[in-house]
Amino acid sequence: MDPRRRLGEWLLRHRVAVLAVIGLLTAFFAYEAAHLRVGTAVGARVPRDHEDRAAHDRLAADFGGDNELVIMLEVPGGSIFTADTLNRLRELTAGLARVPGVDPGRIESIAHPTVRVVKAAAGGTLRAQPVMAGPVRTAADAAAVRRSVHEAENVYGVLVSRDDTAALVRARFTTEALDYGRVVAAIDALVAAAEGTPAPPLPHHSRERDGVREPLGHLDRNGIRHAASAALGLQDSVPAPSPSPAKVRERESRRPPAASHSEPSGAVTVDPATRGSQAPARAETTGAVRISVVGTAWRYGAVYRHARASLLIGAAAVLVVWLSLFRHFRDWRGVLGPTVSAAVAATWGLGGMRVAGLELDPLLLLLPVVLTARAVSHAVQMYDRYGEAVGDGRERAPAIVAAFVAHVGPACTGIVADALGVLAMLVVPVVLVQRVALAGSFWIASVLVAELLVTPLVLSYLPLPRRTGRRWRDRGRLLRAVEACTAAVLSATGRRLTLALALLLVAAAALAWHRAGAAGTASSSLLAFADAPAAAAARNVRDRFGGVAPFVVLAEGYDRGAMQDPATLRAMERLQRHLERDRAVGYSVSLADTVRTVNTVFHELEPKWGVIPNGAAEVESLLAVYFSGAPAAETALYVDPTYTVAPVTIFCADGSNAAIRRIAGESAAFLAGALVRDLGLTVAGRGDAVVVTAVDATPVWEKADTVWVVGARAGSEPPFVPGDRIVSVGRTAVGTVPAFEGGLTAAARRSARLDFTVVRDGEARSVTVMAPWKAVFRVAGGDVGVAAAAQAVVARDHLRMVAAGLCVIAVVLLVTYRSFAAALCLLVPLLVANAAVVAYLGARGIGLTIDALPLVAVGVGFGIDAAIYIVRRIVEEHTAHGDLEDAVRRALVTAGGAVTVGGGSMAAAALLWAVSPVRFDAEMGLLLAVWMAASAVASLTVLPAVILMAGPRFAGPGSGG
Amino acid sequence: MTRGPFRVLGLLLGGCCLHGCDRAAPPHSQPQRAISRADRFYDVAAIDAEHIVVVGYDGKILRTTDGGASWTRPASGTGRALYSVDFVDGLTGWISGQDGVLLRTTDGGSSWGRLASPTTLYVFAIDFIDRQRGWAVGDRSVLLDTRDGGATWAARTVASARGEASAEDVAAAESVLYDVRFVTADVGWIVGEFGKILHTTDGGVTWAAQQGSLLGGAIVDVLDIPTFFGARFLSTQAGVVTGGDGRLARTTDGGTTWAFEATLAPATPLFQPFLSADGATWAVGAEGTVLRQSAPGARWDRVADGAAGGAWLRAMDWSDARHGWIVGGYGAILRTTDGGQSWTAAGS
């Protein structure tokens, strides 16, 4: 007896027990699914094998994660330097510290104690103090804040726009603790309060003094006031030791405060009052306050803002599928079967994600649509077979068994191939993709349970459908349409034309490949349409500050105190200035800016002193002043407490893939070239060798035993001389300048001790030098940094990933059909569908990003089930009737009809997402609709055309296909 | 018939799977900015209405030959800050900078050559009266002078003739000198830290302090006089100096007496004055400050408000009565073509 039949009958005999077990498991997964967290770790997009992965992790640990929130408070056409606006900013900053997941110590705002300015004080001391130490009560206070901001190059243009109309509040999240729903709600409340006219509502403990709100309890609750008070208290009681020489102390002690100067008033007509400094605080408010919120967290959180719309679209999609199925089967059982199957698979899939410790990324909300489409597709085939068996006059149980016997083979093959194909995405070393591969694979595998166990047993409890249903379908318009298409495709001309069109599509895809790679924008910016508030907010910030998305390079010192080394700080600056030449870069900040600023203040604001001092001791003194009295957590925005590591943050205006790649490439090339320059070398590639063409006078090398070190006096023999051929760095052979730079970079990151093999006068010799630099730079993160790393992987691994998936599917098909021809034939529709997707991405110019990659990955095997069902039917019909063309025609109007219904209904459902207010979902909805439609069309046209033209043996009678 | 296409397909798949496909394109070249918002410009020389040279941080030299419509960046050969630029004609000019950097051009600023420098101190200002005779001053009271167009320089520390033996003057010893101006080969001034105004009538051999005449009113001690950052002289008799706390002092008798003209912008340093041939006095400073006085004794007006935002403005120069230039922080290069009525940012 056919084992498939025995299994089918056994199932029906033990249906209660089987359903009970499945029910229990489903209940378990339902519980888990209900507690599945929606969230994302931006770092999950950083490739595992990325060379700077460690730097990224260190950046996240020491300076906050990639998840950043930026709020811009703007007074269009006015100035933020009014008491009212500054107090709004203060409340906004304080409120932000209370937003769930925000790291209160890593907020940057002129109203936060972490952002300081250095002031020369009477008594000859310099001391750092917050830009805004407390509530701003008068216009004079506001003018003082403005002056402080304008004097600080690490603040002005960075946290306050150059035209004084806007201020930024920048916060970082502790990624793991982030709850997007609460974040969005809290920020909404903050924004509403800050934009409130004429003023945001006062906290219940606040009071009003001199027309200025002073929110007491508001701040006490979150510790901001305590932090500020502590900082101020320290500054008041313990002035920072001044690095100034005695003469400066003498001068300062003798100088009366600026405000106390009194001069004959005769000639004075220029006065601060002309800027409104003496006007009442309330009267100063000019124009309405506008708030713009940007940042990774906000953009991802925006998915929640549109949760209702997404739910409605989801409900409409389900309705579309139901109506399509009902219209096809003319029977509610035909709707219920696939629905139950899809629901069980979805429950297992989502529950399985939580069991595996995964979370549902907001950008993957369409993942269930992709996976549910599989379940629906299989269930439609099953019910179609069941309907046929019933139509043939069988009773319920024999009909179910007959359908099961016909269905189990192709279903198993299709699902296993699909699941393993998705699992093959593990080759992509990106945590996010790997998580999706695991979750998607398990989800698809669970379709096996739903399809082969649940659907037959559910049908066994339902009344027998009307036997007339199939006859109606046999006369339906769908059948006539399928028959007409089939006739057209299967004609001699039709076959050639179909294949020609398929080849044309593949060629178009190849052409679109480059465009798809170069186009596109930073992943998360795809969340908002150009006219959406989020996109407008990003534009506002870009207009005022020149850049939005951060690109972070981490300077990692070999030893403590490396960030106090003037050469390291200058290297930071050089990198900043180099990248700022690119029009895609707005501005940048680093510890070097702070040092320069403090140095300027130390020299009475003379800009010519805004340089990095030549001595490490001077730098140390300046930094000691700036960070005096600040808790260690507050200095961590700029440098770690041991001065070993510091970030250089480049804010980019252009988030396109091309710009991201260019900035990352420029950064890497510059840093690699800088190492060669810092060694004092000029090199050139000659043939297959790297030749030293010039050696600078600096650095000056001294030989200590066998190692060259930087010293004050040159040794007898320099480590390199012009004409040297550098053969290797460490164990890395170098034959070209890029290889030399790459090898040097890798060696420098491992150790300060650098080993070279140099050929001089035909003799190979080892040269060991201690690096003249104290720190190395690595691309570490930020929105753009992560996107750059991820994009490199997308560019490198997309085709590899698709090919790996297709190969795994091919192996499963090979094992099943024991035929190379069968495996390759069945892959044809998949290839065509994948080509259609690539062509679509290129045509739309949306590019392929790391966020789209998981969806693309899960869709690789999309449509393999349809191909398998059609081939299975061809073999059956060929065996029964002996003519291949007739068998193909019959298969297309039977199994093909079900493919049309399943694929068509799911494509229509996916198409509904095109109206989603979340741009990414809309784009992906369209993409999936194209994919599903292309997959179904390819299975119904290209596959039969190939089979008819090739006439493979596996499609022959009795082949077992 | 059946084998060929499948074999090709298989090879394609296998090839892609085994080797992957790295299509990461090299970074595209991108038009780069001549002027960045991170630029800090310290000085400007307006050779004529069309030819301007600007110097600044990170060894940056900018040159325009079309009145600012476009800029080129001649190589300076250094990454150090360039503080001061001076031209004596359309071809010959000098630059001084950080760590004793001295540069010279003889082709109008197209190319610059490094001069041998006797110091590694910061040289904040340079001034030539002709192609041969020039002076430069900087940190720790260093004074450089040359008689051969910069080929050789002599360096020494400036000491004023009055001597500085008192305790308070010890503090002011080796103070920073910020500007030097000569009106003839013999007569010149240096200004700097602690309100120093030093005067020479022998080509810089000896220097006499003149700031004592500023005592009076609230200022009872020479060390209370604010630091002066800039100086300009129309003749051996008339000149102005500007400094901290919004101070501007004027002399009309060759420095015998100096007098403050009131606090023009309290707590806002004024970095450089300029005296126009038409009698107007200008001053630029922190927080985007540009002040103008149509004639000595007239009221001061704040002009160019908002043109540079809150950026500091470090230097000003005019090629004629209509064409003027101001440079400063955050890439600020302002230009006027109407005698200072309106100021606009020069193109990038």
Side-chain angles (χ1 to χ4, degrees):
Chain A
M1 189 183 189
D2 187 341
R4 292 172 294 184
R5 181 171 297 281
R6 278 210 305 272
L7 179 60
E9 290 172 348
W10 183 89
L11 274 177
L12 288 180
R13 278 200 307 277
H14 301 89
R15 61 180 185 174
V16 175
V18 172
L19 277 179
V21 171
I22 293 173
L24 278 175
L25 285 171
T26 307
F28 166 73
F29 283 122
Y31 173 82
E32 294 292 336
H35 293 84
L36 179 65
R37 213 165 72 87
V38 180
T40 189
V42 182
R45 288 159 170 78
V46 178
R48 280 179 189 275
D49 65 344
H50 194 265
E51 57 181 3
D52 294 327
R53 171 87 209 189
H56 173 271
D57 293 343
R58 185 166 190 177
L59 176 74
D62 290 353
F63 301 99
D66 301 296
N67 223 339
E68 192 180 60
L69 182 76
V70 179
I71 302 180
M72 183 175 80
L73 184 149
E74 184 185 8
V75 184
S79 167
I80 62 158
F81 293 112
T82 65
D84 180 74
T85 305
L86 289 174
N87 284 319
R88 285 177 197 247
L89 182 69
R90 188 166 170 268
E91 291 181 17
L92 185 66
T93 304
L96 195 57
R98 293 196 306 277
V99 170
V102 164
D103 187 340
R106 292 195 169 112
I107 294 176
E108 290 173 87
S109 161
I110 59 169
H112 195 270
T114 51
V115 176
R116 315 168 133 230
V117 289
V118 175
K119 294 285 185 184
T125 59
L126 292 178
R127 64 183 180 192
Q129 63 187 49
V131 177
M132 284 172 62
V136 179
R137 296 194 170 85
T138 65
D141 289 349
V145 172
R146 183 188 63 209
R147 196 175 306 121
S148 295
V149 167
H150 288 169
E151 289 171 359
E153 287 191 40
N154 58 335
V155 175
Y156 184 47
V158 175
L159 292 173
V160 174
S161 68
R162 289 277 320 284
D163 58 4
D164 291 344
T165 62
L168 289 186
V169 186
R170 197 180 289 280
R172 291 190 179 88
F173 289 89
T174 48
T175 307
E176 297 308 320
L178 197 55
D179 181 328
Y180 286 109
R182 292 178 64 202
V183 167
V184 170
I187 294 171
D188 277 344
L190 272 181
V191 169
E195 283 184 332
T197 303
L202 293 173
H204 61 280
H205 288 301
S206 65
R207 59 183 170 170
E208 189 139 348
R209 182 197 296 172
D210 301 331
V212 178
R213 293 175 311 288
E214 188 183 5
L216 297 177
H218 208 75
L219 299 176
D220 283 340
R221 277 200 302 278
N222 59 65
I224 292 293
R225 173 172 287 276
H226 291 314
S229 302
L232 283 172
L234 271 175
Q235 288 140 17
D236 289 343
S237 56
V238 188
S242 169
S244 58
K247 59 181 185 175
V248 176
R249 283 200 296 274
E250 175 68 20
R251 177 192 65 213
E252 294 298 341
S253 65
R254 288 170 171 274
R255 174 172 301 171
S260 69
H261 281 298
S262 60
E263 289 296 324
S265 58
V268 182
T269 56
V270 179
D271 189 87
T274 58
R275 292 186 174 185
S277 63
Q278 299 305 316
R282 280 290 190 185
E284 288 181 337
T285 304
T286 53
V289 167
R290 181 170 71 179
I291 305 290
S292 301
V293 186
V294 296
T296 312
W298 180 250
R299 290 195 296 269
Y300 282 94
V303 175
Y304 285 86
R305 186 181 305 284
H306 302 298
R308 182 183 292 272
S310 297
L311 276 176
L312 281 175
I313 293 172
V318 170
L319 201 62
V320 164
V321 174
W322 280 352
L323 287 173
S324 301
L325 294 181
F326 186 78
R327 182 164 177 76
H328 177 66
F329 290 117
R330 292 280 166 175
D331 180 13
W332 59 270
R333 296 165 198 80
V335 177
L336 187 64
T339 303
V340 171
S341 175
V344 169
T347 306
W348 282 48
L350 291 171
M353 285 177 73
R354 179 157 192 266
V355 171
L358 308 181
E359 53 194 16
L360 186 59
D361 195 287
L363 285 182
L364 294 177
L365 289 183
L366 281 184
L367 190 65
V369 178
V370 185
L371 296 166
T372 300
R374 259 94 159 185
V376 169
S377 173
H378 286 286
V380 167
Q381 293 286 349
M382 174 72 183
Y383 195 78
D384 203 60
R385 285 283 187 170
Y386 177 60
E388 276 184 28
V390 172
D392 290 343
R394 290 189 177 91
E395 290 306 314
R396 185 168 60 192
I400 291 172
V401 172
F404 182 82
V405 168
H407 188 63
V408 66
C412 281
T413 306
I415 292 170
V416 170
D418 206 354
L420 291 179
V422 170
L423 202 58
M425 306 312 142
L426 289 174
V427 299
V428 179
V430 174
V431 175
L432 179 69
V433 176
Q434 291 179 336
R435 286 176 179 174
V436 171
L438 285 171
S441 185
F442 178 75
W443 192 318
I444 292 169
S446 69
V447 173
L448 206 60
V449 174
E451 204 48 51
L452 298 182
L453 304 181
V454 176
T455 304
L457 299 185
V458 167
L459 291 177
S460 74
Y461 283 100
L462 299 178
L464 204 61
R466 286 177 294 128
R467 297 183 193 279
T468 55
R470 186 189 166 201
R471 283 203 296 276
W472 184 88
R473 282 193 288 121
D474 286 347
R475 292 193 303 271
R477 270 177 294 181
L478 175 66
L479 180 75
R480 290 201 297 276
V482 171
E483 278 179 339
C485 287
T486 302
V489 169
L490 299 188
S491 67
T493 310
R495 294 172 204 172
R496 282 193 287 273
L497 195 62
T498 303
L499 286 180
L501 285 173
L503 286 173
L504 202 63
L505 183 63
V506 173
L511 285 175
W513 183 254
H514 178 73
R515 189 175 170 189
T521 57
S523 54
S524 47
S525 64
L526 276 177
L527 280 169
F529 283 104
D531 58 347
R539 277 198 301 275
N540 289 342
V541 176
R542 201 161 43 234
D543 289 347
R544 296 273 78 81
F545 289 88
V548 186
F551 173 79
V552 184
V553 176
L554 199 63
E556 288 187 303
Y558 291 128
D559 298 304
R560 295 162 66 100
M563 295 306 119
Q564 295 166 330
D565 172 47
T568 303
L569 294 168
R570 289 198 183 107
M572 284 183 189
E573 278 203 307
R574 282 202 302 269
L575 175 66
Q576 290 175 259
R577 300 296 89 83
H578 180 77
L579 293 182
E580 281 164 357
R581 290 162 57 194
D582 192 306
R583 290 182 187 275
V585 172
Y587 65 102
S588 63
V589 289
S590 77
L591 186 65
D593 300 316
T594 303
V595 172
R596 283 192 304 95
T597 299
V598 180
N599 203 18
T600 308
V601 176
F602 177 50
H603 292 94
E604 304 178 84
L605 298 177
E606 162 60 274
K608 290 181 178 176
W609 283 101
V611 296
I612 305 293
N614 288 330
E618 291 171 78
V619 173
E620 189 178 345
S621 299
L622 295 173
L623 289 174
V625 169
Y626 188 75
F627 291 127
S628 61
E634 292 179 3
T635 68
L637 279 170
Y638 313 99
V639 65
D640 79 310
T642 63
Y643 292 95
T644 312
V645 186
V648 178
T649 309
I650 316 289
F651 290 94
C652 304
D654 184 350
S656 70
N657 283 347
I660 288 170
R661 267 216 301 273
R662 190 177 63 245
I663 292 166
E666 280 287 336
S667 167
F670 178 80
L671 292 173
L675 294 185
V676 180
R677 288 192 295 275
D678 288 348
L679 278 176
L681 300 181
T682 305
V683 296
R686 288 187 188 156
D688 59 350
V690 175
V691 178
V692 176
T693 56
V695 179
D696 290 349
T698 55
V700 174
W701 297 99
E702 283 180 19
K703 197 164 188 182
D705 196 9
T706 57
V707 180
W708 293 95
V709 297
V710 175
R713 197 174 47 183
S716 56
E717 181 191 12
F720 302 97
V721 297
D724 281 353
R725 287 178 60 229
I726 300 176
V727 177
S728 70
V729 181
R731 292 178 182 172
T732 306
V734 292
T736 63
V737 172
F740 172 57
E741 291 179 345
L744 183 57
T745 303
R749 286 174 178 175
R750 283 193 298 271
S751 163
R753 184 188 169 102
L754 305 170
D755 296 312
F756 301 86
T757 305
V758 173
V759 176
R760 186 181 300 167
D761 301 328
E763 180 189 342
R765 60 175 68 191
S766 294
V767 173
T768 301
V769 302
M770 295 304 293
W773 50 81
K774 294 190 184 311
V776 289
F777 292 80
R778 299 170 188 263
V779 173
D783 221 9
V784 172
V786 169
Q791 274 320 112
V793 167
V794 171
R796 186 191 67 193
D797 285 347
H798 176 214
L799 191 60
R800 195 199 317 250
M801 179 190 79
V802 172
L806 293 179
C807 279
V808 169
I809 292 171
V811 169
V812 174
L813 296 174
L814 194 63
V815 170
T816 305
Y817 289 91
R818 295 180 180 80
S819 159
F820 281 105
L824 294 177
C825 232
L826 286 163
L827 284 181
V828 166
L830 268 63
L831 282 172
V832 172
N834 276 282
V837 166
V838 171
Y840 170 80
L841 285 171
R844 293 272 297 163
I846 56 177
L848 190 57
T849 64
I850 193 67
D851 291 309
L853 198 63
L855 275 178
V856 173
V858 172
V860 163
F862 207 83
I864 188 62
D865 54 331
I868 289 173
Y869 284 122
I870 289 171
V871 166
R872 162 75 183 177
R873 195 71 185 215
I874 288 172
V875 173
E876 277 182 25
E877 299 292 344
H878 201 180
T879 304
H881 301 96
D883 178 64
L884 181 60
E885 190 168 333
D886 186 50
V888 170
R889 184 170 285 111
R890 286 171 181 272
L892 290 184
V893 297
T894 51
V899 167
T900 308
V901 170
S905 60
M906 287 309 298
L911 200 58
L912 288 177
W913 289 93
V915 302
S916 170
V918 180
R919 181 183 170 193
F920 184 80
D921 287 350
E923 297 284 7
M924 291 300 112
L926 275 170
L927 177 73
L928 289 179
V930 168
W931 204 328
M932 290 170 183
S935 171
V937 169
S939 298
L940 292 168
T941 57
V942 184
L943 175 65
V946 168
I947 288 178
L948 281 180
M949 291 187 76
R953 279 198 299 274
F954 74 88
S959 69
Chain B
M1 178 185 176
T2 59
R3 300 284 177 184
F6 295 132
R7 192 171 293 157
V8 172
L9 204 57
L11 283 173
L12 276 174
L13 273 177
C16 287
C17 188
L18 285 174
H19 302 295
C21 179
D22 189 349
R23 64 192 179 94
H28 300 287
S29 61
Q30 171 81 354
Q32 294 182 329
R33 297 182 263 228
I35 300 171
S36 145
R37 59 186 282 162
D39 277 328
R40 295 185 289 280
F41 298 122
Y42 297 125
D43 202 5
V44 55
I47 301 167
D48 57 41
E50 302 297 317
H51 293 78
I52 314 298
V53 174
V54 175
V55 297
Y57 196 68
D58 196 24
K60 194 160 190 173
I61 303 173
L62 289 180
R63 177 173 182 260
T64 180
T65 55
D66 53 15
S70 63
W71 296 87
T72 57
R73 187 178 175 181
S76 68
T78 178
R80 296 295 187 242
L82 302 179
Y83 292 129
S84 180
V85 57
D86 188 40
F87 276 79
V88 290
D89 54 39
L91 295 175
T92 312
W94 296 262
I95 290 173
S96 69
Q98 190 184 4
D99 296 344
V101 167
L102 295 168
L103 308 175
R104 178 173 62 182
T105 181
T106 53
D107 57 11
S110 294
S111 62
W112 294 84
R114 188 85 175 252
L115 300 174
S117 174
T119 182
T120 56
L121 295 168
Y122 296 2
V123 182
F124 289 120
I126 192 166
D127 189 41
F128 274 74
I129 56 163
D130 56 38
R131 289 187 180 181
Q132 303 302 320
R133 195 80 173 98
W135 297 262
V137 296
D139 194 15
R140 297 190 190 174
S141 295
V142 69
L143 169 70
L144 313 179
D145 76 280
T146 179
R147 294 172 183 274
D148 55 12
T152 58
W153 293 83
R156 65 188 175 94
T157 300
V158 176
S160 61
R162 290 186 182 181
E164 290 173 341
S166 66
E168 64 187 23
D169 286 344
V170 170
E174 294 196 350
S175 55
V176 184
L177 304 179
Y178 285 112
D179 205 358
V180 57
R181 291 290 153 184
F182 273 76
V183 289
T184 69
D186 295 323
V187 179
W189 282 266
I190 291 173
V191 297
E193 211 175 12
F194 301 105
K196 275 193 174 174
I197 303 175
L198 304 177
H199 180 56
T200 182
T201 54
D202 55 12
V205 177
T206 58
W207 295 85
Q210 294 186 331
Q211 66 268 28
S213 59
L214 287 168
L215 295 176
I219 300 177
V220 296
D221 190 310
V222 288
L223 289 181
D224 291 339
I225 303 172
T227 290
F228 290 119
F229 298 114
R232 281 294 183 276
F233 293 86
L234 271 181
S235 64
T236 57
Q237 301 302 306
V240 292
V241 295
T242 53
D245 303 331
R247 299 303 189 113
L248 180 143
R250 187 186 298 272
T251 182
T252 54
D253 55 9
T256 306
T257 56
W258 288 86
F260 282 122
E261 289 219 353
T263 305
L264 305 174
T268 301
L270 295 176
F271 296 123
Q272 200 191 71
F274 191 89
L275 293 171
S276 297
D278 63 1
T281 306
W282 294 80
V284 295
E287 286 205 84
T289 303
V290 182
L291 303 175
R292 180 179 182 275
Q293 187 187 41
S294 58
R299 56 172 257 167
W300 284 90
D301 295 313
R302 189 183 293 275
V303 297
D305 243 8
W312 49 263
L313 300 174
R314 185 59 187 81
M316 165 184 265
D317 199 16
W318 294 74
S319 59
D320 54 52
R322 288 189 303 119
H323 297 89
W325 296 81
I326 297 173
V327 297
Y330 304 91
I333 300 181
L334 305 181
R335 175 181 62 167
T336 181
T337 55
D338 55 11
Q341 300 298 312
S342 61
W343 293 85
T344 54
S348 60

